[in-house]
Amino acid sequence: MKNFMLVADLVPKLDPTDYVGFTFFVGCMAMMAASAFFFLSLSQFDKKWRTSVLVSGLITFIAAVHYFYMRDYWAAHMESPTFFRYVDWVLTVPLMCLEFYLILKIAGAKQSLLWRMIGFSIIMLVTGYFGEAVDRDNAALWGFISGVAYFVIVYDIWLGSAAKLAKEAGGDVLAAHKILCWFVLVGWSIYPLGYMLGTDGWYSGLHGLNLNIDVVYNIADAINKIGFGLVIYSLAVKSSK
Ligand SMILES: *C/C=C(C)/C=C/C=C(C)/C=C/C1=C(C)CCCC1(C)C
């Protein structure tokens, strides 16, 4: 009995009415299921597409591991797992940049494109972390710097060098690139909205807006990690015929 009590103490109870905790819970399942889906589909693709689909699976798998931890962290402490949220992003967002590079390699994408995108994504995330966790008094300033880095990435893929390469590649690659561009422009823009929800000085005065920052981030992650991976998956399906 004594041992049983100890185990019960180790596993925090998830209250069924805790909707924030529930989105962490569903996030774990969704990321795990997506990873299994991507990994198990690998053998059906031509060699040159396998790396791209493998990276899709790695993105959701890394997220799944973080979600298992964040789910328990939330249940035990009832506060945002901000640090591990950003650890997850710092690992997965550069992998999403790698996806752009991998599909554009056909048109001769250079590694400098990859490193520039990764560089700006890290600036975006590190400054965001400072605003959310280290220097909350200046959240607006950090958010602004982060937003500038975000727009450089948006520019690169919509109008800059990545866009030119996609046009040269044409066909299915161009179509997939366009959809990924929409993910970054619309799907990624959910994150700054969540950031403004969680830091003062924006619309924190809006009472009755009973939204939680973690719910916003969890929904955005599901869209951007799983949806993004599925675009790569369908490109690989089309191109492996
Ligand atoms: C899988 C995780 C993804 C795709 C995370 C993306 C995160 C962002 C695009 C975050 C952007 C932010 C800003 C543009 C400004 C405010 C601070 C951030 C970090 C929330």
Side-chain angles (χ1 to χ4, degrees), residues 86 89 92-93 96 124-125 128 143 146-147 150 188 191-192 195 217 221 224-225:
Y86 275 86
W89 290 353
T92 52
V93 173
M96 296 172 113
M124 173 181 85
L125 295 171
S146 174
Y150 169 52
W188 287 22
Y191 296 97
Y195 178 89
Y217 285 163
D221 275 355
N224 288 301
K225 293 186 164 63

Side-chain angles (χ1 to χ4, degrees), residues 22-36:
F22 186 70
T23 60
F24 276 115
F25 193 80
V26 173
C28 296
M29 289 332 141
M31 297 297 178
M32 264 333 264
S35 309

Side-chain angles (χ1 to χ4, degrees), residues 26-203:
V26 173
C28 296
M29 289 332 141
M31 297 297 178
M32 264 333 264
S35 309
F37 177 81
F38 292 132
F39 289 148
L40 292 172
S41 74
L42 277 179
S43 60
Q44 77 187 68
F45 302 121
D46 289 349
K47 253 211 169 107
K48 65 174 195 269
W49 290 108
R50 278 188 207 154
T51 316
S52 300
V53 179
L54 175 67
V55 172
S56 290
L58 288 177
I59 290 170
T60 51
F61 184 73
I62 291 170
V65 175
H66 284 85
Y67 267 80
F68 280 112
Y69 181 75
M70 293 196 292
R71 178 196 66 189
D72 291 346
Y73 184 100
W74 170 265
H77 305 287
M78 284 291 147
E79 60 182 52
S80 294
T82 307
F83 180 72
F84 287 95
R85 172 80 71 190
Y86 275 86
V87 173
D88 173 34
W89 290 353
V90 158
L91 296 172
T92 52
V93 173
L95 285 175
M96 296 172 113
C97 298
L98 176 63
E99 295 279 38
F100 275 98
Y101 168 75
L102 285 176
I103 72 168
L104 294 176
K105 245 169 82 173
I106 298 175
K110 294 204 185 68
Q111 275 197 16
S112 58
L113 170 72
L114 172 65
W115 293 117
R116 193 172 60 241
M117 285 183 73
I118 290 180
F120 280 104
S121 71
I122 302 236
I123 294 173
M124 173 181 85
L125 295 171
V126 169
T127 52
Y129 182 74
F130 265 75
E132 221 177 296
V134 181
D135 183 24
R136 287 180 70 91
D137 289 343
N138 294 310
L141 176 66
W142 291 114
F144 175 76
I145 302 171
S146 174
V148 170
Y150 169 52
F151 272 110
V152 174
I153 299 172
V154 169
Y155 179 85
D156 248 1
I157 56 173
W158 275 90
L159 304 162
S161 50
K164 281 192 202 93
L165 289 166
K167 276 202 200 91
E168 276 162 36
D172 292 335
V173 170
L174 177 61
H177 177 84
K178 266 275 146 61
I179 303 174
L180 295 182
C181 283
W182 280 107
F183 270 96
V184 173
L185 183 66
V186 180
W188 287 22
S189 73
I190 303 170
Y191 296 97
L193 296 178
Y195 178 89
M196 290 157 85
L197 203 64
T199 50
D200 284 337
W202 317 87
Y203 35 75

